[in-house]
Amino acid sequence: MEASDSTRADLESRIEKAIVTLDLDAKVRLLTGATNFTLHGEPAVELAEVVLSDGPTGVRGERFTGGRIACLLPNATLLAQHWDTAVAEDVGALLAEEAGAQHVHVVLGPTVNLHRTALAGRLFESFSEDPLLTGALATAYITGLQDNGIGATLKHFVANESETDRKTVNSVVDERTLREVYLLPFEMAVADADPWAIMAAYNDINGTPATENTALIEGVLKGEWGYDGLVMSDWYATDSTVESANAGLDLSMPGPEGPWGDKLVAAVRAGEVAEPRIDEHVRRLLRLAGRVGAFGSERAWPSSVPAPASPKRREALRNLAAGGMTVLVNRDSALPLATEGTVAVIGRHATETVAQGAGSSQVRPPHVVGIADGITQTLGADLVSVVDGVEICTDPLAAAQHSLRDPETGEFGMRVTTRDVRGEVIESRYVDWSEVSLRESPWLESAATIELTAEVVMEHATRMQVGVRGRGEWTFTAPGHFEQVRLDRVDDAGEVLRLPYRTVVLDLEPGATITAVATAAPGRPVLGLAARVAPKPPAVAISAAAKAARTADVAVVVVGLTPEQETEEVDKITLALPGEQDALVAAVAAAAKRTVVVVNAATPVLMPWLDRVDAVLWAGLPGQEAGAAVAAVLTGELEPAGRLVTTFPARDGDGPAWSPVPVRGELAYSEGSAVGYRGWQTEPLFWFGHGLGYTKWAYGEAELTVDDTIRSVRVEVTNAGSRAGREVVQVYWRPEGEPVRLIGWAGIDAEPGQTASVDVPVDGRVLRRWHESEWQLLPLTGEVLIARGLGDIRVTLQVAGQR
């Protein structure tokens, strides 16, 4: 929301008056969170509470566990595969509506760390491996949020490209690479969208913690770039008092405890931190509060917002997911599917479709449309058979579906009963979720024991996998089963992100109830109860899948990753599909007349069966409307016009950067600026920018506009196929002695036979180099490549002599 000069001047005047009004203790109090996701209010200066929420792909709200129902969007990588800033801006606007419905002032997103290695666990939350594409999409996303009065938080500043030892790792990056690659998305967003907040990362950069990095926060961000917004820490990332306060960090999160508070007051009084520096931190915090309507007259929240399960939201989310999906292979026009033949839908991902990654970005959607359900609803149950696949998880509860209900109310969720040391009931409540957090549920804290009880939802006798999760001393009972077990934390994320678990496989009848009693443990852990259909042994599952494939006209095999691999806090060790999924695909391909593979994953996987299947659809993590989107794409109702935003390795170990594991505490970015496609020396499985869509494209004459640098490219493009479609014209520059880099792109929609002249503007920020502490234009050498991805270059233009 662009403020007028007079509005900005009024805000700044009120900020200065407030700073004068507050004493030191009151000012410092504001600089640490009030709770996990709120900031302190201060009635003396008309400052209201400010509410924050995680939100790259949905606004979860103040609660980490069991919060309110919210829209679950496709993951950031799938959204980025649109290659469309208008889509990114629409996503920001949708999230702003979602935030307004929950009275959330600030969304903690977007994430602009790059896809440096395909092993990184949190790639699903970031846009791409390219800094220009990432920066442009982030800029639009921020604009969509802030034009609607909701603050965006650009994160994680900076060089936070992997998860292993993320709180202690020292990212070692040379100055040129840092400037040209990893800082560039931040620089673009600050210049073009002015995010109202930026989050400092956990890691060190060249030996200095991100939260204490004066050179980057004060020198580059606030100094060179003139950033006037708030810099906050990632959660629990601030490890110092004096150093972080003096480095330019404005807000330490979360609260109410932390390394600032009384220690920072004492540091000011001891002369270690100047009070004007505290004033500057408060100034930026009040500026954020003013921008989001929490300082002075409070904002008016929307009275009516479409519900997450409303037809309007469902259609929008389905289209967002479908449009970013990418056709990787399509032999003999296997896709779209014919609508009259029979289809065997195979795989555990078809019935337990993974809609989102794990970690702080998770939300509670109103539903997740499974891929099997979506295809069945679209084609009809008489044409579709559904066959389970092989096990896909080490931690089965990571994939547990909503399969529990409260025995008393019959509603989805469970019954939670607290008892005192004598065993007397303190309270019994229905909870509409399968987990409870002691940190977020004060009514649980005084209990000696906490009992979780639920009926397992099933229509007929079923072999089920049931169990408990969370740290504590457990007594678990189910029909024919009793055990006691102690579960300890897995790692630093073991309280909320990676819960310890215990499961057992039982043959249960409808109406079966499971009960788990936990002895209260220190640290206020998350406790949970879950159930899922137990997978069959691999040989049995694969045999059943091949049999179903043999009798159908088309076999659709759905494979993918799980929240174990695509998660905050943990990186992968291989790109291979988990379990026996490769064997499943191979067996189906050997038996079926035609095989289509749908990959339900955000990040690259190996495909040893690629030459044996007819088509591969990259479906990403599609959000709550997953199955509806996949069905619309497979049948041709919507075009999967996505283009890849990450280069796919052909084998483990390929690429300019591979291992995310620090060596003696350091992670060396030794590939320099040749990250991702820029540094690829072997043929990958699929190049950055690849995507076939459902039509064919012909490229004609092209020309460059050049003066002292490259300004734009124009090219004629024709839809040479039989269907309407969308093309993404990609322009790369390969200067002599430098890595190739994306310098611009443009999307075009065209009917069959239609020709259009496409103008592609070039962003000058990728035509320069950082040399001897300043920017210099790169010499006009080398080639400009006009492409459908780096594996399909259509036009090559020499740069020299173009002026």
Side-chain angles (χ1 to χ4, degrees):
M1 184 181 300
E2 193 66 33
S4 66
D5 290 341
S6 61
T7 301
R8 283 193 292 268
D10 176 66
L11 173 59
E12 295 302 315
S13 175
R14 288 189 290 111
I15 288 171
E16 297 309 314
K17 290 177 182 176
I19 291 172
V20 171
T21 300
L22 298 172
D23 62 20
L24 177 61
D25 290 87
K27 288 185 289 189
V28 168
R29 174 176 171 270
L30 299 180
L31 303 181
T32 295
T35 66
N36 217 22
F37 291 102
T38 63
L39 308 184
H40 290 286
E42 178 50 75
V45 294
E46 296 185 288
L47 174 64
E49 176 185 75
V50 175
V51 179
L52 318 177
S53 172
D54 284 309
T57 51
V59 182
R60 190 185 61 241
E62 294 179 59
R63 293 181 62 85
F64 196 94
T65 302
R68 68 179 276 174
I69 299 295
C71 283
L72 173 57
L73 281 69
N75 76 289
T77 303
L78 185 55
L79 294 172
Q81 287 174 184
H82 284 263
W83 287 61
D84 192 335
T85 54
V87 167
E89 187 168 343
D90 288 345
V91 166
L94 191 157
L95 290 172
E97 284 192 346
E98 285 282 288
Q102 299 192 49
H103 295 191
V104 166
H105 299 87
V106 179
V107 168
L108 302 175
T111 301
V112 294
N113 303 111
L114 301 183
H115 296 194
R116 177 176 173 263
T117 165
L119 289 179
R122 205 174 179 181
L123 296 190
F124 67 89
E125 201 177 309
S126 303
F127 291 120
S128 81
E129 71 184 13
D130 182 78
L132 177 65
L133 180 61
T134 295
L137 295 174
T139 294
Y141 177 111
I142 292 164
T143 300
L145 275 167
Q146 295 185 171
D147 278 358
N148 291 282
I150 302 298
T153 308
L154 194 64
K155 62 183 188 181
H156 307 85
F157 190 76
V158 61
N160 180 198
E161 271 67 43
S162 51
E163 295 296 292
T164 304
D165 298 339
R166 65 175 181 167
K167 294 179 181 177
T168 59
V169 65
N170 178 30
S171 298
V172 181
V173 195
D174 68 83
E175 181 74 8
R176 182 180 179 188
T177 298
L178 193 61
R179 293 277 189 163
E180 294 182 13
V181 178
Y182 297 101
L183 282 172
L184 181 58
F186 291 94
E187 180 186 1
M188 292 175 65
V190 168
D192 300 341
D194 189 22
W196 295 341
I198 290 178
M199 184 185 293
Y202 286 116
N203 54 286
D204 293 4
I205 304 101
N206 297 324
T208 304
T211 54
E212 301 173 14
N213 207 304
T214 306
L216 290 174
I217 299 176
E218 290 285 4
V220 176
L221 179 59
K222 295 182 177 181
E224 293 177 29
W225 299 349
Y227 179 64
D228 70 352
L230 175 108
V231 179
M232 71 175 73
S233 72
D234 205 337
W235 268 227
Y236 304 102
T238 312
D239 292 325
S240 66
T241 302
V242 173
E243 294 84 354
S244 54
N246 282 334
L249 187 71
D250 300 307
L251 174 66
S252 180
M253 290 298 294
E257 305 300 326
W260 284 10
D262 291 342
K263 292 180 181 178
L264 185 52
V265 171
V268 174
R269 289 177 175 152
E272 297 173 301
V273 178
E275 189 162 355
R277 184 170 290 280
I278 300 299
D279 292 345
E280 177 61 15
H281 297 326
V282 173
R283 183 174 292 115
R284 289 170 180 267
L285 184 141
L286 294 176
R287 188 176 291 137
L288 170 65
R291 287 167 165 170
V292 299
F295 179 42
S297 56
E298 290 194 40
R299 68 179 297 151
W301 296 104
S303 57
S304 177
V305 172
S310 66
K312 178 179 180 179
R313 283 286 192 257
R314 297 193 67 179
E315 181 181 12
L317 298 181
R318 183 191 74 141
N319 294 347
L320 283 173
M325 291 179 185
T326 302
V327 180
L328 300 181
V329 170
N330 194 14
R331 298 184 177 97
D332 299 324
S333 300
L335 292 176
L337 297 176
T339 56
E340 65 274 6
T342 57
V343 178
V345 181
I346 297 165
R348 180 54 67 106
H349 279 85
T351 55
E352 287 185 4
T353 301
V354 180
Q356 60 183 320
S360 59
S361 64
Q362 287 180 287
V363 301
R364 281 186 66 191
H367 55 257
V368 171
V369 180
I371 291 173
D373 288 340
I375 294 173
T376 301
Q377 290 165 10
T378 300
L379 296 179
D382 55 330
L383 294 179
V384 178
S385 59
V386 178
V387 180
D388 197 6
V390 296
E391 175 62 280
I392 55 177
C393 300
T394 302
D395 175 356
L397 296 184
Q401 297 295 295
H402 295 177
S403 53
L404 302 173
R405 62 184 169 214
D406 175 23
E408 293 189 22
T409 65
E411 299 290 333
F412 164 74
M414 61 184 176
R415 173 69 42 178
V416 180
T417 303
T418 58
R419 288 185 169 86
D420 60 23
V421 292
R422 299 183 305 276
E424 299 292 332
V425 173
I426 302 172
E427 188 170 359
S428 179
R429 289 190 188 184
Y430 158 63
V431 175
D432 67 347
W433 193 238
S434 57
E435 293 178 346
V436 288
S437 168
L438 273 69
R439 182 182 302 273
E440 296 176 319
S441 305
W443 66 282
L444 299 173
E445 291 185 357
S446 62
T449 62
I450 300 168
E451 179 183 283
L452 314 178
T453 303
E455 177 189 332
V456 181
V457 178
M458 63 188 107
E459 295 181 359
H460 48 74
T462 305
R463 176 158 289 190
M464 299 293 296
Q465 198 164 16
V466 293
V468 297
R469 57 190 327 207
R471 185 170 56 82
E473 301 274 357
W474 290 94
T475 299
F476 179 64
T477 59
H481 182 81
F482 172 88
E483 71 174 305
Q484 293 178 315
V485 62
R486 175 189 175 90
L487 298 179
D488 292 316
R489 63 190 299 158
V490 178
D491 52 30
D492 284 346
E495 300 298 347
V496 290
L497 299 182
R498 298 181 67 209
L499 303 184
Y501 63 91
R502 168 68 176 172
T503 62
V504 62
V505 175
L506 300 172
D507 292 314
L508 299 179
E509 299 287 337
T513 297
I514 57 177
T515 300
V517 179
T519 301
R524 298 182 294 174
V526 173
L527 305 176
L529 191 67
R532 69 195 287 256
V533 175
K536 297 179 177 67
V540 175
I542 291 172
S543 175
K547 180 179 179 181
R550 195 172 293 114
T551 59
D553 293 308
V554 179
V556 176
V557 192
V558 190
V559 297
L561 301 176
T562 76
E564 286 184 291
Q565 293 87 36
E566 302 201 281
T567 179
E568 187 173 347
E569 193 77 23
V570 180
D571 293 317
K572 298 185 282 289
I573 58 174
T574 177
L575 300 184
L577 288 168
E580 299 295 324
Q581 293 184 90
D582 288 332
L584 174 70
V585 175
V588 169
K593 301 179 183 71
R594 178 164 285 187
T595 303
V596 174
V597 178
V598 176
V599 185
N600 178 200
T603 52
V605 301
L606 304 182
M607 303 181 189
W609 34 260
L610 187 63
D611 293 339
R612 287 174 274 176
V613 303
D614 298 285
V616 179
L617 175 69
W618 190 258
L621 302 179
Q624 69 182 53
E625 304 303 324
V630 169
V633 160
L634 290 179
T635 59
E637 179 190 351
L638 297 174
E639 185 189 25
R643 303 295 187 265
L644 293 182
V645 292
T646 300
T647 305
F648 279 39
R651 60 193 66 82
D652 277 348
D654 282 1
W658 179 249
S659 176
V661 179
V663 177
R664 292 184 293 277
E666 293 190 345
L667 188 62
Y669 284 46
S670 54
E671 71 282 358
S673 62
V675 63
Y677 69 86
R678 294 176 171 213
W680 217 269
Q681 300 299 316
T682 59
E683 188 69 17
L685 191 64
F686 297 106
W687 279 103
F688 176 84
H690 173 71
L692 300 177
Y694 279 162
T695 189
K696 300 181 184 300
W697 298 90
Y699 282 59
E701 294 184 359
E703 62 179 352
L704 292 174
T705 298
V706 178
D707 44 39
D708 60 332
T709 190
I710 305 167
R711 298 298 178 183
S712 65
V713 176
R714 175 175 293 179
V715 63
E716 286 192 350
V717 178
T718 301
N719 183 343
S722 59
R723 297 173 60 94
R726 181 174 189 270
E727 174 66 317
V728 177
V729 178
Q730 303 163 40
V731 179
Y732 300 85
W733 182 27
R734 183 183 285 133
E736 292 179 5
E738 297 283 342
V740 66
R741 77 279 312 274
L742 181 72
I743 61 174
W745 71 93
I748 176 178
D749 294 291
E751 296 296 321
Q754 181 181 354
T755 298
S757 182
V758 181
D759 288 305
V760 182
V762 171
D763 195 305
R765 288 170 289 201
V766 288
L767 307 179
R768 59 188 183 170
R769 65 179 178 182
W770 185 258
H771 182 66
E772 295 182 351
S773 301
E774 65 178 10
W775 289 110
Q776 297 178 348
L777 283 176
L778 285 165
L780 288 172
T781 62
E783 303 169 327
V784 165
L785 313 173
I786 304 174
R788 304 192 71 235
L790 277 171
D792 188 4
I793 297 168
R794 296 300 181 92
V795 181
T796 300
L797 300 172
Q798 298 300 315
V799 175
Q802 286 289 332
R803 258 189 285 186

